Amino acid sequence: MVTPDLAYGTPRKLPKPKSLDGSVVVLDIAFATEVGGASFNKVTRPFIEGLGDRLLLWVDHHDHDLHVQYEENPRFFLRSKAQHGACPEMITEELVEQYGQPDTICCHVDFDGLCAAAKWIRGGKEPYAGADHDAWAIDTRLGKASEQGMLLDRALRAHPRDNSLKDVIVDYLVHGAEDRVSFRTIEEAATDLAAMEKQSEALAQRYQISGEVAVVDTTQSNLPYDKTWLLLLGQQKAAISIVYDAHTVTAAARFDSGINLLRLLGLSGGMPTRVSVSRQQLQDVLDALDPYRKKV
């Protein structure tokens, strides 16, 4: 089994093209939107142009206004979140056979991205039975992932910046999720999320409800917390939850809510049901959501 090099990225922070060896497949990384100084022209386009002919294929399932510019380009397989709730389901045996194994895979840093990378390396075959569904359940926060999927997700959420853990998880998935040594490493990492969840639950008591919007200020929190869990707790109180700190404002709605935050906030791309902007835009976000704040 050919094992490409791995690189990790996010829509707002991509590796330098010259740091990636040979041909490159990009998985589960959205085109950048106009948030926090990032934009398609500042981040995504230079990355695409820097890779040039070395870009083998870009596969993504997030919404973006500029997808239309790449519809006829065979090196871009771009769909919306409504079409595909997660990226691994887009990685088929036929797709991998068509494009082959690259020298490098650059993928997103969450379970969705790592699972997609492992599935590509495995020739389009699921790392374990139900992995595609787990990625969908975790990325949409609908349904329920298996214990295996939840463990991997929890480990990543507890250590979001630990690339060595990401390497372990991809290797674990590539080899069929059977290696017990890797499993114990992942299991140990996952246990660290419990304290963060407890802090999230404490912060959730501070949510201020206005109509269908729940807002919480975490600026004074001195302990790490799990933002995803805090947002989900807010959605138990209102249709839209907002968490903000000294640097970032994050708004989220249920995947099946029908609420498109990108459209409401005038953003060009990303996840329709979860967006992050700079702290300076808090009032803009509240103003944009004013119709929901007035609903009872």
Side-chain angles (χ1 to χ4, degrees):
M1 184 185 298
V2 177
T3 305
D5 291 339
L6 292 172
Y8 305 108
T10 69
R12 286 182 280 179
K13 188 173 183 180
L14 291 166
K16 294 187 180 301
K18 65 182 180 182
S19 72
L20 306 181
D21 291 334
S23 59
V24 178
V25 165
V26 179
L27 302 175
D28 192 42
I29 298 180
F31 287 1
T33 188
E34 303 80 7
V35 174
S39 69
F40 179 85
N41 286 327
K42 289 182 180 179
V43 179
T44 315
R45 189 186 300 280
F47 184 70
I48 293 171
E49 293 176 349
L51 288 176
D53 293 339
R54 294 193 296 124
L55 177 60
L56 195 64
L57 183 66
W58 191 308
V59 183
D60 186 50
H61 67 118
H62 298 91
D63 299 49
H64 202 285
D65 292 346
L66 296 182
H67 278 187
V68 66
Q69 294 187 10
Y70 294 86
E71 284 181 344
E72 305 301 321
N73 191 323
R75 296 190 300 157
F76 291 84
F77 180 23
L78 306 172
R79 297 293 184 265
S80 69
K81 190 76 174 178
Q83 291 172 302
H84 291 284
C87 191
E89 63 193 52
M90 300 173 69
I91 311 301
T92 63
E93 293 183 50
E94 293 75 18
L95 186 70
V96 178
E97 183 177 359
Q98 179 182 353
Y99 287 90
Q101 292 293 346
D103 297 302
T104 302
I105 289 178
C106 180
C107 64
H108 196 215
V109 297
D110 59 1
F111 176 78
D112 189 25
L114 301 192
C115 187
K119 192 179 180 186
W120 189 287
I121 295 169
R122 289 172 58 84
K125 297 178 180 178
E126 282 185 299
Y128 59 87
D132 283 4
H133 175 267
D134 281 354
W136 177 88
I138 290 167
D139 221 50
T140 63
R141 297 295 162 185
L142 296 177
K144 186 176 182 180
S146 68
E147 290 186 9
Q148 174 94 271
M150 288 190 291
L151 179 73
L152 295 166
D153 178 52
R154 290 175 66 82
L156 288 166
R157 283 160 54 198
H159 299 276
R161 295 179 178 83
D162 187 345
N163 285 348
S164 64
L165 176 63
K166 297 181 184 70
D167 290 342
V168 169
I169 289 175
V170 174
D171 186 69
Y172 174 71
L173 292 172
V174 165
H175 291 91
E178 295 178 346
D179 182 73
R180 300 306 299 175
V181 174
S182 296
F183 178 82
R184 286 194 291 271
T185 299
I186 296 165
E187 189 175 41
E188 183 178 343
T191 61
D192 294 335
L193 189 65
M196 297 170 64
E197 287 178 325
K198 185 176 181 180
Q199 177 64 5
S200 298
E201 289 160 7
L203 290 169
Q205 303 304 312
R206 305 180 189 174
Y207 266 113
Q208 300 294 312
I209 314 299
S210 178
E212 295 187 25
V213 179
V215 182
V216 64
D217 178 4
T218 65
T219 306
Q220 301 304 317
S221 177
N222 296 318
L223 297 174
Y225 61 92
D226 179 20
K227 185 181 290 186
T228 294
W229 183 230
L230 182 55
L231 288 164
L232 289 169
L233 290 171
Q235 288 165 32
Q236 294 177 11
K237 302 171 182 288
I240 301 170
S241 55
I242 297 175
V243 175
Y244 70 93
D245 57 25
H247 306 287
T248 306
V249 179
T250 302
R254 278 177 56 90
F255 181 73
D256 60 353
S257 67
I259 297 172
N260 189 318
L261 295 171
L262 296 176
R263 189 176 300 121
L264 287 169
L265 300 178
L267 299 175
S268 62
M271 287 182 62
T273 52
R274 178 166 171 167
V275 301
S276 293
V277 298
S278 68
R279 171 63 176 81
Q280 288 73 23
Q281 293 175 270
L282 175 60
Q283 191 57 52
D284 294 336
V285 171
L286 294 175
D287 290 344
L289 298 179
D290 198 51
Y292 288 92
R293 295 171 67 203
K294 291 180 178 177
K295 288 182 180 181
V296 294

